[in-house]
Structure formats: structure tokens, C-alpha cells
Amino acid sequence: MATAAAPATPTLRGVQPLRAGEGHSFFWRRLHSLSGIVPIGAFLIEHIVSNFEAVNGPLAYAQQVKFLNSLPLVRVLEWCFIFIPLAFHALYGVWIAFRGRATVNVYPWAGNWGYLTQRITGIIALLYIVQHLWRQRFSGVNLPEHPGAAFAKVQHELHNPWMLAIYVIAMIATCWHFAYGIWLFAAKWGITPGDKARQRFGYVCAAGGTALCVLGLVGMYAFINPKYANAPEDVMPTQPPAIVQPVQP
Amino acid sequence: MAQAATSTRTIKVEIKRQSTPDGKATTEAFEIPYRPNMNITSLLGEIALNPTTVTGAATTPITYDSNCLEEICGSCAMLINGKAMMACSALVDKLEQPIRLAPLSKFPVVRDLAVDRSVLFENLKAVKAWVPIDGTYDLGPAPRQFPQIQEQRYPLSNCISCTICMEVCPQFNDVTGFVGAATIAQARLFNMDPAGSVLKEDRLRALAGDGGIQECGFAQNCVQACPKGLPLTEAISDMGRDVFVQQVKDLFTR
Ligand code: HEM
Ligand code: SF4
Ligand code: FES
């Protein structure tokens, strides 16, 4: 093959050409994509399923919280598989969102709306998660030490109709983001290249997302269900630290 | 009576104009006598015959790119009533009036409706969208292609480099420097060519660079807007997989 030197590229105005083979954005972008499924998506499923235990009442819920907090190395798991990946996905996601130029006003097509909705639901999820973590995990009664207080803590929160509305909106937005995210993942990674495959997988994602959302909302209803009104502040005797958390040396 | 009605009917056009790349953009309005079955290029030709604005002021003919007038050269893309379309296949009778014409918004304006779309050419070069034979001696017949491969390649070979898929893409902008659907589809076309596939790995590595395939957010506007109906989302999906596999291979073998 003749290898004549390529003619010098003129400097262009406007959008710059591909930086062939340069940089690491492919890696980070694919990691972002994957992180949405594992571990974050997997955690979302776990979280919604665990919270569904609330339909069986405060004690059952407390036992679920206690069980999760008694997993080996739970604090390490929490940081490595939830907080750090979530912070990465969320912050990189915001950065991605602000680099796009949404065009639904000119091209109001379904996929284009999906693109915009993925960004909006992501931002809703981020705002919700920040307040949720602060109010439920890092302030007030420390639930890992007092799993028995979990039901009452959430119940107080959902007693406020504004908070309830925020929880419902965030549940719908997050499930949408996750369900459409799985669809996007399959399309981008070449798992569903054909139109037919994408369409069929779209139905699968819609069904899965709806099921997850319903599960979440039903679980949420348990906290405002009159059956469990005024749940006791703590349904379990105080746990010695060694039972719920590794003893600090 | 019917005669009189047609002769007084007019076509109203508003055109965004700019005399130099850095000049200030202004809008000029024109009104020309109605004729059935016009397209935007014939409308612009009509204005060139008598470049007078609706207020009667003399002006210059509109500058725009066009060549084939049958949606095959890809040069006449512009914004027609705000949407990216080919001027030669956009029919006046189907458009709402006044018809608003403007240059593509994501490419530098040369003059009036003519824009510089070299970025697509640079991108095609960056992914080596060609079959590397220099033609200095007879190589004999080309390798055979399975009909299944031909069928997959044919739709991709219809690209006319109009850049509409890039114009409509929310990810194609100065911040991302995204390569756009057309280049990804052409890389796919040549990767599937039995002779062109010799450069397959180079193309896949090029597309993993900054501004590469990863910038795609799957808004799917490209496939909706492409005048030639290329299966762009399918090409992006397939190439997304191939680029990923190549990156993993390179990680372990390079
Ligand atoms: C509740 C936790 C979350 C889950 C389960 C989740 C899941 C996902 C999944 C599976 C994807 C698809 C990956 C892809 O597009 O290739 C995705 C994409 C995305 N996520 Fe999230 N995500 C979450 C939170 C967030 C947050 C807080 C943001 C912040 C704004 C965000 C922003 C984005 C964006 C912008 C995309 C689209 C990326 C693209 O189109 O290239 N996500 N997410
Ligand atoms: S892929 Fe379609 S829209 Fe894009 S440049 Fe080619 S013909 Fe135009
Ligand atoms: S003039 Fe050739 S595509 Fe319109």
C-alpha cells in the first residue's frame, strides 16, 4: 500500500472533526452506561424489593433493614457498589446532559423526546437522591444501629403530603430512567441492532419498568396505610453494636 | 375567473441572508407568482431571475449550493421552515407559507444559504472510508460478496453526504465534536466490504477517539431525517458493538 503523506487538514470553523484514536472518553462513556445497569440499576431493584417488605408491617420491615445491615462488610459494599458508582453516574450524567442540545421544539419525534426525558429524569433522580440520602440515611435516627425505627422514620416523612408527592414523582422518574436506560444500553452496545429487536425490547423494558414502579408505589403505600398508622418509634429492642455492625477496634 | 385567481396567487418566502462568513445575518422577504409543482431550488431560481424583495428593493440573487436537482448530490441541504431538508426535493405546494429558508445551523455559513460542510469530509478521512486500492496495476477481479452482505451494504451506500443527520442530532455540536451518523454508517459500509475490511481495525479505533461513537445519545433523529432512508441507528448499534470488542482486544493484545 502506498503511504503518501496525507494532505494537511485545513483548520475548520464550527464543529471539529473526529479526534481519531485520541483520548479516553470512549472508556468513561461506556463505564457510565454500564454503571447505570450494574451496580446502580441492580441496587434500585434491590431497594424497591426490600422496601416492598413494608406491606408486611413495621416489624417485617425492621427485620429486612436489619438483615441488609448485617451483610458482611456492609459499609464497604455500600460505598463501593452504591455511593461511589452512583456519584460517578450522576455527576458524569449531568455533564453529558449539559453537553447536548435538545431539539424537540423543531423535531418532536419519539426518540428525541426519549433523549430529553432521559436527561430530565436523571436530574430529578439526582435531586431526589441527595435529599433522600441526607434525610433518611445521614441525619435523624441512625437506621443501621436502630433498624426498628426504620418504619416510623419513613412514615413521618411520608406524612407530609409534599414529601409524598416528591416520593411518587421520583419513583416514576427513576423507574422511567432505568427502564429506558436498559433499552438505551442494549441499543448502544449492539445487543439490539435491528429495528424489530429494538421495538420488541422496548416492550420488555416498558413492562419491566412499569412492574418495578408499581412495586415501588405499593411498597410506599404501606407507610401511609391506615392499618399501620402511628407505628411505634422503635419496634426492636436496642441492638448491641456488634450485632448490626462490625465492632470498631 | 379561475385564470385570474391563479395568476394573482403568490408564494411568500423569507430568506435569512448573510453576505460574508462573518457578516451580519438579515432576513429578506420575497413574493413570487404562483406556479404549481415548484420545489425550493426552482423557487430560488425564480428569485435569481428577478432579485427584488417584497418592498420592491433590488437585491442580489440568493447564494445556495445545488447541483443534481434530484436529491442525489447532497449539496442543497438547508433549513426549510426550521427543519433540515433537501431544497430540491422539498415541494412548495406542501409547505406552509411564508416559507422560511435559512442555512443549516451547525455549519459555518459561507454566504446566504451556502454552508461549509468540510467537517464531514474530514470525518470520512479520519475513518478511512474507502477501499485502499491505488489503481496503478491490475489487481484482477474484486473479491466476491455474498448477496446477504450486498443487501446490507446497499442501503448504506446510498448516503449523499448531505449532513442532515448531523444537523438534526442533539449531540452534534461544538462542545462534543461528535462525528455524526453518516461517518459511522460509512465506516460500517467499508468494514463490510471484503476488500475494504482490511482497514477495519483502523476504522474501529478511530471511532473510539474523542468525539467518536460513544457520544451518540440515541435520540434517533438521524434516521428520521435522513432523506435517503439509511439504517443509521442500526449501523450505530452494530458499530458500537464492534468498536467495543476492538477496544477490549486492544487492551489485551496491544
Ligand atoms: C437512580 C439511579 C440511576 C439509574 C438506575 C440509572 C440508570 C441509567 C442507565 C441504565 C442508563 C443507560 C446507559 C446508557 O445510556 O448507555 C442511564 C443513562 C443516563 N443517565 Fe442514569 N441512572 C441513574 C441516575 C442518574 C442520575 C442521578 C443522572 C444525573 C443527571 C443520570 C443521568 C443519565 C444520563 C444523562 C444518561 C444518558 C447517557 C447517554 O445517553 O449517553 N442518571 N442511566
Ligand atoms: S446518512 Fe443520510 S442524512 Fe446523513 S449525510 Fe448521508 S444521506 Fe445525508
Ligand atoms: S441539488 Fe443535489 S441533492 Fe438537492
Side-chain angles (χ1 to χ4, degrees):
Chain A
M1 230 182 302
T3 51
T9 304
T11 43
L12 296 177
R13 297 172 164 222
V15 181
Q16 291 304 301
L18 173 67
R19 281 76 75 207
E22 287 170 31
H24 300 284
S25 62
F26 184 83
F27 172 81
W28 292 109
R29 205 51 190 266
R30 282 295 187 259
L31 191 66
H32 177 259
S33 195
L34 184 65
S35 71
I37 310 263
V38 276
I40 310 173
F43 168 70
L44 182 67
I45 296 174
E46 179 279 312
H47 196 52
I48 286 176
V49 170
S50 295
N51 282 330
F52 190 76
E53 194 58 19
V55 302
N56 294 326
L59 186 59
Y61 190 61
Q63 273 160 347
Q64 183 65 23
V65 175
K66 187 179 159 192
F67 159 70
L68 288 174
N69 279 288
S70 61
L71 291 175
L73 295 177
V74 64
R75 294 286 86 83
V76 176
L77 295 179
E78 195 179 38
W79 279 92
C80 294
F81 293 101
I82 307 174
F83 296 154
I84 294 172
L86 186 59
F88 163 70
H89 182 92
L91 297 178
Y92 199 67
V94 170
W95 187 74
I96 292 172
F98 283 97
R99 281 157 49 95
R101 299 284 171 270
T103 53
V104 285
N105 52 334
V106 191
Y107 307 107
W109 298 321
N112 208 13
W113 275 108
Y115 169 90
L116 181 61
T117 313
Q118 191 68 2
R119 277 130 186 89
I120 294 172
T121 52
I123 290 168
I124 294 176
L126 174 59
L127 296 175
Y128 168 81
I129 292 166
V130 169
Q131 72 79 29
H132 180 61
L133 271 178
W134 171 246
R135 293 175 63 88
Q136 297 295 317
R137 174 69 181 81
F138 292 109
S139 72
V141 198
N142 186 6
L143 297 184
E145 282 166 25
H146 305 279
F151 196 96
K153 189 173 184 182
V154 180
Q155 191 172 54
H156 291 160
E157 191 79 332
L158 296 185
H159 206 65
N160 179 340
W162 288 105
M163 266 305 172
L164 185 61
I166 289 174
Y167 270 67
V168 171
I169 292 170
M171 178 66 75
I172 296 169
T174 309
C175 290
W176 178 290
H177 185 90
F178 179 45
Y180 195 62
I182 297 174
W183 184 87
L184 280 174
F185 177 89
K188 290 179 183 177
W189 291 61
I191 298 165
T192 52
D195 288 340
K196 262 225 185 87
R198 273 200 304 278
Q199 194 187 32
R200 289 200 196 117
F201 194 58
Y203 297 134
V204 173
C205 293
T210 310
L212 194 63
C213 190
V214 168
L215 206 62
L217 293 174
V218 171
M220 204 185 279
Y221 175 73
F223 294 96
I224 53 170
N225 189 341
K227 199 164 111 188
Y228 302 125
N230 300 315
E233 283 305 321
D234 200 334
V235 292
M236 275 182 179
T238 312
Q239 307 282 317
I243 292 181
V244 291
Q245 277 186 315
V247 192
Q248 304 297 324
Chain B
M1 195 53 211
Q3 189 60 40
T6 30
S7 60
T8 51
R9 245 177 102 183
T10 56
I11 302 168
K12 294 191 179 66
V13 205
E14 287 173 14
I15 304 176
K16 192 174 167 197
R17 306 196 61 178
Q18 179 171 331
S19 54
T20 59
D22 298 304
K24 223 174 74 77
T26 53
T27 301
E28 280 183 356
F30 299 86
E31 199 164 344
I32 67 157
Y34 177 80
R35 252 194 309 127
N37 303 329
M38 285 183 101
N39 57 20
I40 296 295
T41 36
S42 61
L43 191 73
L44 291 167
E46 204 70 43
I47 293 173
L49 281 177
N50 176 22
T52 313
T53 70
V54 72
T55 59
T59 185
T60 48
I62 317 292
T63 302
Y64 61 100
D65 284 323
S66 77
N67 192 343
C68 68
L69 307 182
E70 56 172 1
E71 203 188 71
I72 202 67
C73 74
S75 61
C76 66
M78 59 182 70
L79 298 184
I80 300 173
N81 285 346
K83 292 189 166 59
M85 285 193 247
M86 302 312 283
C88 63
S89 57
L91 301 178
V92 168
D93 291 339
K94 292 194 176 163
L95 293 167
E96 210 177 286
Q97 290 192 27
I99 297 170
R100 288 169 292 118
L101 302 183
L104 292 179
S105 67
K106 294 184 181 170
F107 300 85
V109 173
V110 176
R111 185 183 159 112
D112 293 346
L113 303 175
V115 293
D116 180 358
R117 292 173 293 161
S118 329
V119 62
L120 175 53
F121 188 51
E122 293 306 322
N123 284 338
L124 290 171
K125 285 198 280 183
V127 301
K128 306 190 179 170
W130 56 72
V131 176
I133 41 177
D134 62 13
T136 51
Y137 61 99
D138 185 4
L139 294 168
R144 282 167 172 258
Q145 292 187 23
F146 293 117
Q148 291 91 328
I149 298 290
Q150 289 170 359
E151 268 168 37
Q152 281 186 51
R153 294 190 65 225
Y154 180 67
L156 296 173
S157 74
N158 282 336
C159 176
I160 57 177
S161 300
C162 65
T163 66
I164 284 183
C165 54
M166 297 149 85
E167 169 72 20
V168 299
C169 174
Q171 290 291 108
F172 180 81
N173 59 49
D174 339 319
V175 196
T176 60
F178 177 41
V179 63
T183 308
I184 298 172
Q186 293 314 293
R188 176 102 190 114
L189 172 70
F190 288 100
N191 275 4
M192 278 195 297
D193 182 290
S197 64
V198 63
L199 296 177
K200 190 173 172 182
E201 299 189 343
D202 290 3
R203 295 192 191 100
L204 295 176
R205 283 179 196 126
L207 281 177
D210 285 351
I213 195 163
Q214 67 278 12
E215 288 288 355
C216 170
F218 235 83
Q220 307 167 73
N221 290 356
C222 51
V223 75
Q224 292 282 338
C226 173
K228 307 311 282 185
L230 263 76
L232 294 169
T233 41
E234 188 171 337
I236 293 173
S237 203
D238 280 328
M239 289 303 268
R241 184 187 52 236
D242 293 355
V243 170
F244 176 74
V245 170
Q246 187 63 44
Q247 289 296 301
V248 174
K249 274 189 198 160
D250 285 355
L251 189 67
F252 290 108
T253 57
R254 266 187 137 200

